[in-house]
């Protein structure tokens, strides 16, 4: 399980779990597992009532108020449900105190009900028990799992007054600070939904009050992070139950979130976001059932991009209508504000001056409240003819400045004009475009809107690390292939950043390839501070290409992955790193659903890794891998026939760019070792680099020199290599630099071998690589892949092929 951790220094992070996340014993244990994984010993956990407990309590109140004889049975059923929840969540000894407290609570509820004079405070008192039971039980489950936790009734610190309730922030903050000081380094499981007034009466925070409790608690405790866990991972571009193609929004600006909440989103609620806007906390939405299914982060910073991000709908919409005479028309805005202050902000409003008509759209739940409030206000409000009209649905687009996006507005208008439309109204804040239609089957309309709006080309930002031979070759190839790739894959590619050892150039509008190649003007950067600049890149997808040989860059791969940046590497350091690092990287990639392609690391453009993948997918078992993996060494030993010293051949290969920047990295076998490790791992084996036996061609006296002096001293290779060549010729064979891995024994080796002249590794073109793959069915006659395995152009082409494959998969 992967949990996003708060930043270092976070103060008492808040986590809220709703009723669906606490529906039964299994859910309580799942939630406890999440909390344990967080490793936040001072976390504040806000809980709702378990499952449908609040609904059961409301039903109980209704039955008693009507004198229904089924009321005692309902209370007994509630008691039985809670007892079973405790008994199945805890062993008998740990459950006993909670069962005794529950019995007392049921007696208290019965006594309050028997008074037959249920006022608002008594109703709130009875409804509060759901959260109290949830808080007690989760705290005890956490304790039973070895965590220091205690339950906290929010009525001890959360003070409210008025109707609707208003929070007394200063007093609440002061009371909470005292409690937190006494429970340092201890988790507190806090009741959501409930508060108390100055007289000690229980007050309810209303619809979705537990979410509001969580962000309010975070604001009062000055917490830096709040996570709301529910049965969905966050906000989607549309309701995924209706639009299977809807995608999860990883980031959502706070104004957009507030607008979506105002429009009746079941995931976000307006009151929940108020404390977020007024404090420093970051808000995240996650799924308690599937914590690895992604998340939505609510951010204060507005997006750079404009336009619709979400298609939302309210199936059952009610219009509250009234007529307002001309002299009172100026009161319409004031009346809207008056309703908003009473937590009844309209979903949409439409003024029709020619008919002196004002229409307000509400959900069915809100419409009844608004109608009663307006009815009482009618004499002072200057309106008449108040009525409700049912049978409508609402459809809306939400996004920054969506009302100024001509193309999207036109698409929205055309889609709705095919329906029996009542009106279309742009929001004054430009964050939404709302349409009210006669009630109809909305799914086809939503599907059409979603497809037309979000089938736009995916915006892909590309980061290039390395402007050496391979990087420059790839830049030229990118310039040549960009238009074709965009057209065939419906993409918009942007070269967002280029990094080299001197610094970086970054441009959200894109970098010109010619400028990067010929007039590179980097800005200095501090690692890893530059990673923060990537968080708000604004692209749908980001891909990083590593065309370096840098080991230090590989250490930042996990940080890139955590930002959901896909990786393509010609750099062998990651694929051939220690087994511990490699396993951790693969785990991180899987957890964040990020792709890592590295076909350019072995064989340049040859389909070696892809062939291994295909063999494994077909059910083959890889038995052995062998071959000549270095184009440099292949070239050298194809030409090394004794007619000229070996050192002169090395100098020629280096000058032609056929070797690593330091040719000793080829001659010492380390580059071949990395390739062998990569292929063994791609074949499904855990081969650690330390297990590979390497016979280096570089003598110790040459290995200890710096690069410049080593190039001058290459003649020290000649005598030993001349002897090896003579031995091979005496045996009637030739010298070849061979890598071998045997799956059965797990043995792996790299070094010079004498092979017969008729061996498949002999008749190669200079610079060719050859790979022999033995499997269950390819044992007597191995699968052989042969071709150019070195050079900047073919390696850059392999990087480009990986880029194409990755983008096609996305």
């Amino acid at each position: 399980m992967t949990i996003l951790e708060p930043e270092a220094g976070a103060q008492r992070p808040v986590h809220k779990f709703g009723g669906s996340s606490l529906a039964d014993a299994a859910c309580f244990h799942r939630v406890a597992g999440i909390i344990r994984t967080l490793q936040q010993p001072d976390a504040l956990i806000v809980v709702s009532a378990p499952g449908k407990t609040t609904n059961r309590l409301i039903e109980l109140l209704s039955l008693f108020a009507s004198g229904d004889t089924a009321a005692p049975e309902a209370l007994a059923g509630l008691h039985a449900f809670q007892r079973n929840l405790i008994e199945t969540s805890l062993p008998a000894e740990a459950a006993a105190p909670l069962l005794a407290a529950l019995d007392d609570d049921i007696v208290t509820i019965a006594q309050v009900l028997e008074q037959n004079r249920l006022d608002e405070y008594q109703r709130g008192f009875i409804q509060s028990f759901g959260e109290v039971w949830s808080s007690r039980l989760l705290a005890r489950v956490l304790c039973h799992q070895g965590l220091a936790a205690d339950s906290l009734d929010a009525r001890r610190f959360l003070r409210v007054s008025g109707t609707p309730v208003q929070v007394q922030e200063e007093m609440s903050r002061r009371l909470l600070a005292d409690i937190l000081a006494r429970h340092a380094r201890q988790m507190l499981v806090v009741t959501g939904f409930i508060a108390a007034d100055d007289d000690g009466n229980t007050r309810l925070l209303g619809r979705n009050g537990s979410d509001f409790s969580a962000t309010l608690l975070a604001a009062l405790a000055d917490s830096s992070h709040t996570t709301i866990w529910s049965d969905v991972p966050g906000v989607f571009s549309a309701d995924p139950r209706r639009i299977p193609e809807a995608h999860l929004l990883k980031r959502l600006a706070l104004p957009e979130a507030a607008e979506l909440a105002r429009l009746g989103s079941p995931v976000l609620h307006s009151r929940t976001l108020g404390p977020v806007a007024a404090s420093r906390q970051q808000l995240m939405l996650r799924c308690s059932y599937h914590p690895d299914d992604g998340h939505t982060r609510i951010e204060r910073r507005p997006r750079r991009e404009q336009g619709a991000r979400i298609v939302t709908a309210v199936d059952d919409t009610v219009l509250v209508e009234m007529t307002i005479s001309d002299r009172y028309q100026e009161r319409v805005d004031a009346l809207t504000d008056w309703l908003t202050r009473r937590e009844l902000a309209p979903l949409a409003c439409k003024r029709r001056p020619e008919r002196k008509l004002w229409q307000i759209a509400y959900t069915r739940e809100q419409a009844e409240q608004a109608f009663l409030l307006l009815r009482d206000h009618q004499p002072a409000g200057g309106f008449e003819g108040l009525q409700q009209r049912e049978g409508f649905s609402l459809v809306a687009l939400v996004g920054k400045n969506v009302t100024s996006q001509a193309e999207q507005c036109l698409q929205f208008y055309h889609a709705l004009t095919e329906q029996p439309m009542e009106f279309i109204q742009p929001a004054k804040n430009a964050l939404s475009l709302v349409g009210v239609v006669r009630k109809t089957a909305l799914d086809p309309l939503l599907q059409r809107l979603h497809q037309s709006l979000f089938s736009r080309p995916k915006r892909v930002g590309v980061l290039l690390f390395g402007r050496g031979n391979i990087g420059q070759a790839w830049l030229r190839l990118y310039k040549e292939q960009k238009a074709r790739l965009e057209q065939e894959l419906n993409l918009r590619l942007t070269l967002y950043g280029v990094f080299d050892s001197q610094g970086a150039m970054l441009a959200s509008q894109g970098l010109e390839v010619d400028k990067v190649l010929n007039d590179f003007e980097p800005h200095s950067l501090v690692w890893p501070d530059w990673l923060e600049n990537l968080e708000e890149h604004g692209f749908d997808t980001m891909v990083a290409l590593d065309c370096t040989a840098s080991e230090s860059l590989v250490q930042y791969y996990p940080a890139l992955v955590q930002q959901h940046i896909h990786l393509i590497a010609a750099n062998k350091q990651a694929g051939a790193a220690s087994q511990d690092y490699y396993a951790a990287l693969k785990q991180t990639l899987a957890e964040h659903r990020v792709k890592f392609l590295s076909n350019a690391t072995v064989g340049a453009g040859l389909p070696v890794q892809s062939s291994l993948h295909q063999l494994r997918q077909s059910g083959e078992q890889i038995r052995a891998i062998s071959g000549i993996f270095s184009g440099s060494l292949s070239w050298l030993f194809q030409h090394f026939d004794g007619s000229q010293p070996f050192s002169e051949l090395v100098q020629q290969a280096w000058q032609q760019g056929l070797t690593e920047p330091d040719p000793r990295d080829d001659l010492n076998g380390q580059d071949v070792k990395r390739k062998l490790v990569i292929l063994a791992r791609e074949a499904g084996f855990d081969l650690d680099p330390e297990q590979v036996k390497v016979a280096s061609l570089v003598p110790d006296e040459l290995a200890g020199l710096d690069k410049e002096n080593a190039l001058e001293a290459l003649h020290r290779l000649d005598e030993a290599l001349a002897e090896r060549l003579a031995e091979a010729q005496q045996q009637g064979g030739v010298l070849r630099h061979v890598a071998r891995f045997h799956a059965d024994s797990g043995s792996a080796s790299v070094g010079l071998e004498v092979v017969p002249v008729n061996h498949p590794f002999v008749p190669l073109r200079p610079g060719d690589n050859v790979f022999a793959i033995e499997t269950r069915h390819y044992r007597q006659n191995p699968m052989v892949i042969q071709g150019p395995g070195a050079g900047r152009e073919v390696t850059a082409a392999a990087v480009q092929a990986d880029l194409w494959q990755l983008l096609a998969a996305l």
Side-chain angles (χ1 to χ4, degrees):
M1 182 187 302
T2 303
I3 307 295
L4 288 183
E5 297 289 346
E7 299 169 359
Q11 184 174 349
R12 302 209 76 146
V14 174
H15 296 268
K16 183 266 176 177
F17 294 92
S20 61
S21 297
L22 300 167
D24 52 32
C27 289
F28 270 83
H29 284 281
R30 184 185 302 113
V31 167
I34 291 172
I35 295 171
R36 187 174 61 253
T37 305
L38 291 170
Q39 296 183 355
Q40 297 166 2
D42 61 349
L44 304 176
I45 315 297
V46 177
V47 291
S48 298
K52 300 294 184 181
T53 298
T54 299
N55 290 343
R56 291 187 173 197
L57 288 165
I58 293 173
E59 181 185 7
L60 175 66
L61 288 167
S62 177
L63 290 171
F64 266 94
S66 63
D68 196 309
T69 56
E73 183 180 342
L75 181 58
L78 182 63
H79 189 190
F81 171 78
Q82 296 298 326
R83 284 191 65 88
N84 180 69
L85 184 57
I86 295 170
E87 291 170 346
T88 54
S89 299
L90 291 167
E93 184 177 349
L98 267 63
L99 292 172
L102 173 65
D103 292 343
D104 292 343
D105 292 339
I106 295 298
V107 171
T108 300
I109 292 173
Q111 290 173 345
V112 173
L113 292 173
E114 288 170 0
Q115 296 175 10
N116 289 324
R117 295 189 306 274
L118 293 177
D119 58 20
E120 175 190 355
Y121 301 136
Q122 291 168 321
R123 288 177 175 272
F125 175 69
I126 289 177
Q127 289 184 54
S128 71
F129 278 99
E131 275 67 23
V132 171
W133 294 332
S134 191
S135 171
R136 285 179 190 160
L137 179 55
L138 182 56
R140 187 57 61 93
V141 170
L142 292 171
C143 289
H144 185 66
Q145 295 191 8
L147 300 175
D150 199 0
S151 60
L152 173 62
D153 192 321
R155 289 171 291 196
R156 289 177 53 192
F157 68 88
L158 192 52
R159 292 290 177 269
V160 297
S161 59
T163 303
V165 296
Q166 300 296 317
V167 178
Q168 299 179 30
E169 292 189 17
E170 290 305 317
M171 179 179 290
S172 299
R173 183 175 284 109
R174 190 166 57 251
L175 292 171
L176 177 62
D178 290 341
I179 294 172
L180 297 183
R182 294 195 300 272
H183 292 82
R185 306 297 293 175
Q186 184 182 31
M187 290 184 191
L188 291 177
V189 184
V190 187
T191 56
F193 181 55
I194 60 176
D197 60 21
D198 292 335
D199 296 325
N201 296 310
T202 297
R203 304 296 301 276
L204 304 182
L205 297 180
R207 177 174 173 262
N208 304 113
S210 291
D211 286 359
F212 175 48
S213 295
T215 56
L216 178 59
L217 174 62
L220 295 174
D222 193 28
S223 298
S224 57
H225 287 71
T226 301
T227 304
I228 295 179
W229 300 83
S230 64
D231 54 0
V232 294
V235 178
F236 285 78
S237 58
D239 186 340
R241 295 168 298 184
R242 312 177 81 155
I243 311 297
E245 298 81 12
H247 58 271
L248 181 67
L249 302 179
K250 297 177 182 177
R251 290 178 171 86
L252 188 64
L254 184 57
E256 293 172 320
E259 186 68 5
L260 183 64
R262 187 187 67 79
L263 291 172
S265 167
V267 179
L268 282 167
H269 312 287
S270 295
R271 295 191 70 197
T272 302
L273 297 174
V276 178
S279 66
R280 72 183 184 114
Q281 65 183 291
Q282 295 184 23
L283 177 62
M284 190 182 298
L285 310 178
R286 290 180 73 82
C287 178
S288 64
Y289 287 86
H290 304 286
D292 295 333
D293 277 3
H295 65 276
T296 297
R297 188 189 298 274
I298 309 300
E299 299 183 330
R300 289 178 179 79
R301 286 178 289 183
R303 294 185 305 117
R304 290 189 293 267
E305 291 72 27
Q306 303 186 37
R309 302 191 73 198
I310 303 164
V311 178
T312 188
V314 177
D315 288 82
D316 195 6
T317 302
V318 177
L319 289 181
V320 177
E321 296 183 342
M322 64 201 76
T323 55
I324 303 179
S325 62
D326 292 339
R327 62 176 178 165
Y328 288 120
Q329 283 293 323
E330 70 279 1
R331 295 188 182 182
V332 169
D333 290 340
L335 193 55
T336 303
D337 293 339
W338 181 80
L339 289 165
T340 301
R341 288 194 300 272
R342 285 154 180 78
E343 299 180 8
L344 288 169
L347 304 180
C349 301
K350 181 67 175 179
R351 296 169 67 173
R352 299 183 182 275
E354 73 284 359
R355 297 163 53 189
K356 299 182 177 56
L357 181 66
W358 189 39
Q359 297 174 295
I360 316 174
Y362 281 114
T363 63
R364 176 173 292 279
E365 178 185 2
Q366 292 176 309
E368 185 62 32
Q369 300 175 51
F371 182 82
L372 295 174
L373 195 63
L374 287 168
R375 186 186 62 187
D376 295 339
H377 187 64
Q378 189 165 338
F383 55 87
E384 56 187 21
L386 185 67
Q387 64 171 333
Q388 295 185 69
R389 292 176 60 203
E390 300 182 355
F392 295 93
S393 297
L394 178 145
V395 179
L397 305 183
V398 177
K400 180 182 178 182
N401 289 334
V402 62
T403 57
S404 62
Q405 306 302 303
E407 181 179 352
Q408 292 185 341
C409 291
L410 185 62
Q411 290 173 331
F412 187 74
Y413 177 80
H414 281 320
L416 264 65
T417 52
E418 297 178 1
Q419 309 294 327
M421 185 173 61
E422 187 71 15
F423 63 79
I424 291 178
Q425 186 69 22
K428 289 183 179 180
N429 59 15
L431 286 166
S432 66
L433 185 62
V434 179
V436 176
V437 298
R438 281 285 180 183
K439 199 166 188 178
T440 183
L442 286 182
D443 286 8
L445 173 60
L446 297 175
Q447 183 76 45
R448 176 181 171 185
L449 278 172
H450 191 273
Q451 184 175 1
S452 64
L453 290 167
F454 302 124
S455 62
R456 59 169 174 74
K458 185 181 289 290
R459 297 163 299 181
V460 179
V462 179
L463 298 170
L464 172 64
F465 293 91
R467 288 181 59 256
N469 291 333
I470 299 172
Q472 292 186 31
W474 177 81
L475 283 166
R476 290 188 288 269
L477 189 60
Y478 168 80
K479 180 181 178 182
E480 175 188 321
Q481 295 288 322
K482 179 175 181 288
R484 175 171 167 240
L485 197 154
E486 288 180 325
Q487 180 179 3
E488 293 195 18
L489 298 182
N490 191 29
L491 300 168
R492 190 167 77 234
L493 285 174
T494 300
L495 184 60
Y496 177 51
V498 177
F499 298 75
D500 71 2
S501 59
Q502 304 302 312
M505 290 179 67
L506 289 168
S508 58
Q509 73 276 13
L511 296 168
E512 293 293 334
V513 171
D514 291 339
K515 182 173 180 61
V516 174
L517 286 171
N518 305 315
D519 190 21
F520 191 65
E521 299 176 351
H523 299 286
S524 62
L525 53 87
V526 178
W527 295 65
D529 292 352
W530 62 270
L531 283 168
E532 297 179 1
N533 297 328
L534 302 182
E535 291 186 0
E536 294 303 316
H537 53 70
F539 298 102
D540 298 314
T541 298
M542 182 80 85
V543 182
L545 312 183
D546 182 1
C547 294
T548 74
S550 169
E551 188 172 358
S552 60
L553 175 58
V554 168
Q555 302 307 311
Y556 292 97
Y557 278 15
L560 291 167
V561 171
Q562 287 170 10
Q563 292 196 33
H564 298 274
I565 297 175
H566 301 282
L567 300 173
I568 293 174
N571 185 347
K572 307 175 188 68
Q573 298 290 346
S578 69
Q579 185 61 28
D580 288 344
Y581 173 89
Y582 182 75
L585 176 62
K586 296 289 283 186
Q587 179 68 22
T588 303
L589 289 163
E591 290 169 349
H592 291 84
R593 298 183 179 180
V594 169
K595 296 184 179 296
F596 173 45
L597 280 72
S598 60
N599 287 295
T601 58
V602 181
L606 297 177
V608 185
Q609 295 184 47
S610 58
S611 296
L612 287 172
H613 296 163
Q614 186 171 349
L615 286 170
R616 294 186 65 197
Q617 290 165 2
S618 68
E620 284 282 11
Q621 296 177 356
I622 309 298
R623 299 286 181 85
I625 303 170
S626 61
I628 297 173
F629 293 0
S630 168
S632 310
L633 293 168
S634 172
W635 188 93
L636 287 169
F637 286 100
Q638 286 287 334
H639 286 87
F640 185 45
D641 56 7
S643 61
Q644 65 183 122
F646 187 76
S647 60
E648 291 184 9
L649 291 171
V650 175
Q651 286 280 4
Q652 291 176 28
W654 179 70
Q655 291 168 0
Q656 294 177 39
L658 298 177
T659 70
E660 293 294 312
D662 186 337
R664 288 176 298 178
D665 288 338
D666 292 299
L667 298 172
N668 64 17
Q670 294 303 308
D671 188 57
V672 173
K673 180 181 80 170
R674 296 185 191 103
K675 294 177 181 179
L676 184 61
V677 171
I678 289 170
L679 291 185
R681 287 171 170 173
E682 294 292 340
F685 301 98
D686 293 335
L687 179 63
D688 192 275
E690 296 299 322
Q691 298 174 255
V692 183
K693 297 179 180 179
V694 180
S696 174
L697 301 181
V698 182
D700 292 341
E701 64 268 21
L702 192 60
L705 301 177
D706 61 31
K707 176 182 173 182
E708 298 302 324
N709 288 323
L711 289 172
E712 294 292 330
L714 285 175
H715 61 274
R716 298 181 186 179
L717 299 169
D718 293 339
E719 182 178 350
L721 267 299
E723 292 177 359
R724 297 291 297 272
L725 179 62
E727 292 173 1
Q729 291 172 341
Q730 289 175 0
Q731 297 175 29
V734 296
L735 282 179
R736 290 293 183 264
H737 193 273
V738 179
R740 297 187 184 277
F741 170 74
H742 295 281
D744 293 340
S745 63
S747 62
S749 62
V750 171
L752 273 184
E753 293 184 9
V754 178
V755 298
V757 292
N758 60 349
H759 194 280
F761 293 170
V762 173
L764 305 179
R765 293 172 60 88
D768 272 8
N769 281 187
V770 59
F771 302 86
I773 303 171
E774 297 180 26
T775 70
R776 182 175 54 185
H777 296 117
Y778 290 90
R779 190 154 195 174
Q780 300 301 321
N781 188 17
M783 175 185 290
V784 175
I785 301 169
Q786 178 182 335
R792 66 195 74 177
E793 304 298 339
V794 288
T795 305
V799 171
Q800 180 70 5
D802 274 355
L803 179 63
W804 191 292
Q805 180 184 344
L806 186 148
L807 296 177
L810 296 177

